[in-house]
Structures are given as structure tokens and as C-alpha cells.
Amino acid sequence: MLSISTKHLNGIVKEFTLNTAKQFIDNLVILETKRAIASSNYSLKEIGYAVGFDEVTNFTKFFKKHTGTSPKQFKTDL
């Protein structure tokens, strides 16, 4: 869609953020997820669907991998 190669995109993103494009996107998804958990009354399932996950288990694994805690635990720690 951007008419550039993935290597070129990674180079541009890395120049500005010091992360690869995937790391940048993953960090953005985690940030949006944390905001949604903290500021809404939506269920974790609804938040997972909103950020692009079809399965709650995949959402939970992704969140735990990047934050070290489950979404449920993050919500209760607020």
C-alpha cells in the first residue's frame, strides 16, 4: 500500500524510533490496549477484538509477552 519494500520501511522507522516497524506497531498496540483497559468499561474480550485479535487467548499471550502481566492482572492493579 505504501509502494515501498519492507526493508525500506524498517529503515525509515528505525531511523526515527530506533525500533523495527514490527516493534513500533507492537508497542502502539500495547499502548492502545493499556489506555482502553484503564479508561473504559469494555470487557477484555471486546478490547482484544478492537485492537485486532480474533481470539482472546492470542490477545492475552501477546499482552503478557510484551508487559509481563496478563490483561486481567493489569486491570486489577489499576
Side-chain angles (χ1 to χ4, degrees), residues 2 17-18 21-23 27 32 35 37 43 49-51 64 66 68:
L2 295 174
T17 67
L18 304 177
K22 181 177 180 344
Q23 290 169 328
N27 290 339
E32 289 300 316
R35 284 182 185 159
I37 291 172
S43 70
Y49 288 142
V51 294
K64 190 167 187 171
H66 290 281

Side-chain angles (χ1 to χ4, degrees), residues 26-39:
D26 287 351
N27 290 339
L28 184 65
V29 170
I30 290 297
L31 179 63
E32 289 300 316
T33 301
K34 286 180 176 181
R35 284 182 185 159
I37 291 172
S39 66

Side-chain angles (χ1 to χ4, degrees), residues 2-46:
L2 295 174
S3 299
I4 60 173
S5 70
T6 54
K7 185 176 179 179
H8 185 65
L9 176 63
N10 269 330
I12 292 169
V13 172
K14 198 164 201 161
E15 181 181 338
F16 289 98
T17 67
L18 304 177
N19 290 322
T20 65
K22 181 177 180 344
Q23 290 169 328
F24 181 79
I25 293 167
D26 287 351
N27 290 339
L28 184 65
V29 170
I30 290 297
L31 179 63
E32 289 300 316
T33 301
K34 286 180 176 181
R35 284 182 185 159
I37 291 172
S39 66
S40 73
N41 292 324
Y42 292 116
S43 70
L44 295 175
K45 183 177 181 179
E46 291 171 318

